[in-house]
Amino acid sequence: MTTTHPVDEILPPPKLFTLGLQHVLVMYAGAVAVPLIVGRALKLDPADVAFLISADLFVCGIATLIQSLGMTQWFGIKLPVMMGVTFAAVGPMVAMAGANPGTEGARAIFGAIIAAGVISILIAPLMSKLLRFFPPVVTGTIILVIGVSLMRIGINWIFGNPVGPTAPSIIDPAHADWLKTVTEGAVAAGLPEVPPKFAAAPTLQNPAYAPLGNVLVSAIVLVSILLIAKFGRGFVANISVLLGIVIGAVIAVTIGAMTFSKVGEAAWFGMITPFHFGTPTFEPVMIITMTLVMIVVMIESTGMFLALGDMTGKPVTQPMLSAGLRTDGLGTVIGGLFNTFPYTSFSQNVGLVGVTGIKSRFVCVAGGVILIVLGLVPKMGALVESVPTMVLGGAGLVMFGMVAATGIRILSGVDFARNRNNLFVVAVSLGFGMIPLVAPSFKQWMWHDLHPLIESGILLASIAAVVLNAFFNGAKDSIEDIKAAAATADH
């Protein structure tokens, strides 16, 4: 009599649906955050941002099915894994979006994602050899910089962006009228024309920046998340961020800051079509940038898979590991084709496997099907897009702060006492990561084609950490230590 391993056990349909929905709810807030961030950074229309959200949910489902169900011997680790967009790619994508907003920027981003995904598929079997270049001092520093870089987005969600309609200061209308009069008078009197780009400076405080009502709503969301995390139990505590956003959305509806007009206009069913924004373009520097991100992502995934293997009692073999990492690459290729982003296994769902004790991979298969269905309902994307940024801000502090805290947690296992060189690795790499945040114009005299690579603090910190660690420590760290650190990564 053959005994079915708990990982391969098929549960009754009602239980599969309930447990699959639980996995979806745990990852939902993190999954929809990335298309919201990148879509708004690209300055896309609300309808296009809503489409990005739907596309993201759809591809999350497809990638989850491939990873947990398996697709040939080459793809899918066949463990209970939920796939979602990695936050590691947000910083570089936002930098790309800032340099090339609109559909042109979207096409360049998706082209870089497709190429990076293909490269990831090819190098997946080699990742065990690359692991030694990414010990905990490197991965911890990179994840810390990712979290710190993303915090700026969460803070801007609360108070307003530093430029545009929600900038802290605006031009005094009286000054603008004076300049217009002087300009017209100079032309009429035959005086020299006003120099190009000569303009009045913003001097008035902008009432649209940091209104106390918005700050209060963000604070309520933040406090709600913290209270639910402290006093909630089990599943409720695991979805504290999502519940906090729901509470904030209810408040926003009550005060008239959120309406459902776009949700009403959206269809109940809509296909996710590839190349929605046109044919992708392939910029070499952007491809290199996204490939470096994917290497970091696959290092993290290695730890996730090994931890999950221990948790489920199904040891991860080298072929299984390669198949799982190839699926990170394949999911990323599919993401680029269907107008979305790089994919990896979500650690919160790995944690949920430990909390529930349910090891069946078919629970995640059910979760993948639910995600695909949600992606095919445009009303869901429109609903998420309608949530005001002040609501997302309170949640953003938690989500992005947790990424930074994960980096600190990994670094806590690094030996700084006996190896002081590790201090230099972290210190200098963190400094490199802060350059684009503190001095965004530092690159103005540098080769323009290099800008997409160096305007991301995450990539600067990654390169610095790898190089400095190789310089000070070589590449001799224990593979087991690396895997243990990767297992604590968060997305």
Side-chain angles (χ1 to χ4, degrees):
M1 180 177 176
T2 304
T3 304
T4 303
H5 193 283
V7 167
D8 300 315
E9 183 183 0
I10 301 177
L11 304 175
K15 197 170 184 180
L16 276 180
F17 174 79
T18 304
L19 293 170
L21 181 62
Q22 182 173 267
H23 270 285
V24 170
L25 292 175
V26 165
M27 67 174 290
Y28 193 81
V32 300
V34 176
L36 272 173
I37 295 167
V38 178
R40 288 171 178 171
L42 282 166
K43 298 181 173 61
L44 298 176
D45 294 335
D48 282 333
V49 176
F51 177 83
L52 283 184
I53 295 166
S54 294
D56 174 42
L57 294 173
F58 179 75
V59 178
C60 274
I62 291 176
T64 297
L65 286 182
I66 295 172
Q67 191 70 279
S68 54
L69 193 58
M71 189 180 75
T72 75
Q73 65 183 25
W74 306 107
F75 297 100
I77 197 167
K78 297 181 183 178
L79 288 174
V81 175
M82 295 293 291
M83 299 287 284
V85 181
T86 174
F87 279 124
V90 172
M93 290 191 295
V94 168
M96 295 174 192
N100 301 285
T103 55
E104 180 185 344
R107 289 164 56 211
I109 289 173
F110 296 139
I113 289 169
I114 292 169
V118 172
I119 293 170
S120 300
I121 293 172
L122 296 176
I123 67 172
L126 306 176
M127 285 308 297
S128 59
K129 294 181 174 62
L130 292 177
L131 280 172
R132 60 199 179 101
F133 295 104
F134 291 84
V137 70
V138 173
T139 55
T141 302
I142 292 171
I143 294 170
L144 172 60
V145 172
I146 289 169
V148 172
S149 299
L150 292 175
M151 288 294 284
R152 175 179 58 176
I153 294 169
I155 292 169
N156 286 339
W157 275 349
I158 298 172
F159 301 110
N161 288 311
V163 294
T166 57
S169 301
I170 57 175
I171 296 172
D172 188 328
H175 295 180
D177 292 341
W178 178 86
L179 182 60
K180 181 181 178 183
T181 302
V182 168
T183 302
E184 293 172 348
V187 174
L191 298 174
E193 292 185 4
V194 174
K197 297 185 179 180
F198 185 83
T203 55
L204 281 183
Q205 290 183 325
N206 186 357
Y209 184 80
L212 294 181
N214 289 13
V215 176
L216 179 60
V217 172
S218 294
I220 291 172
V221 172
L222 176 59
V223 171
S224 299
I225 293 170
L226 298 178
L227 290 175
I228 294 168
K230 178 174 174 58
F231 297 108
R233 291 290 178 268
F235 172 60
V236 172
N238 284 332
I239 62 168
S240 58
V241 172
L242 181 62
L243 292 178
I245 292 174
V246 171
I247 291 169
V250 170
I251 295 172
V253 171
T254 303
I255 63 177
M258 177 180 174
T259 66
F260 298 101
S261 57
K262 294 173 187 172
V263 181
E265 294 169 3
W268 278 105
F269 176 81
M271 287 300 297
I272 304 300
T273 53
F275 308 126
H276 178 78
F277 298 97
T279 306
T281 57
F282 299 92
E283 301 289 338
V285 175
M286 289 188 179
I287 292 171
I288 294 170
T289 302
M290 295 308 299
T291 301
L292 287 172
V293 167
M294 286 304 299
I295 290 174
V296 174
V297 164
M298 294 200 301
I299 296 289
E300 295 175 12
S301 291
T302 297
M304 302 288 175
F305 297 148
L306 293 167
L308 199 54
D310 292 339
M311 202 177 291
T312 58
K314 188 169 185 177
V316 175
T317 63
Q318 186 63 45
M320 286 175 66
L321 180 60
S322 295
L325 295 177
R326 277 194 206 95
T327 307
D328 277 5
L330 179 60
T332 299
V333 172
I334 296 171
L337 293 173
F338 282 90
N339 323 286
T340 180
F341 312 107
Y343 286 85
T344 186
S345 53
F346 258 32
S347 62
Q348 21 313 36
N349 295 91
V350 174
L352 187 60
V353 172
V355 170
T356 62
I358 304 295
K359 303 173 182 179
S360 172
R361 60 192 172 102
F362 291 98
V363 168
C364 291
V365 171
V369 172
I370 292 170
L371 284 167
I372 290 173
V373 172
L374 290 176
L376 295 174
V377 180
K379 284 188 183 295
M380 289 301 301
L383 177 63
V384 174
E385 198 282 327
S386 299
V387 177
T389 52
M390 61 182 174
V391 173
L392 298 171
L397 284 184
V398 177
M399 287 192 294
F400 306 146
M402 287 297 287
V403 177
T406 298
I408 295 171
R409 186 172 65 191
I410 293 173
L411 289 174
S412 68
V414 174
D415 184 359
F416 291 107
R418 288 181 297 176
N419 185 355
R420 294 186 68 252
N421 290 335
N422 285 331
L423 291 171
F424 289 108
V425 176
V426 176
V428 177
S429 301
L430 185 60
F432 269 74
M434 293 298 98
I435 290 173
L437 297 179
V438 178
S441 299
F442 78 99
K443 60 191 178 297
Q444 65 184 25
W445 304 117
M446 298 181 188
W447 181 38
H448 190 270
D449 288 344
L450 198 62
H451 287 192
L453 181 63
I454 61 176
E455 62 195 354
S456 166
I458 297 168
L459 266 298
L460 286 179
S462 300
I463 294 168
V466 170
V467 171
L468 288 170
N469 177 69
F471 174 70
F472 282 115
N473 300 322
K476 57 180 184 291
D477 282 77
S478 164
I479 295 297
E480 292 306 315
D481 289 344
I482 297 167
K483 293 174 181 176
T488 65
D490 206 351
H491 298 88

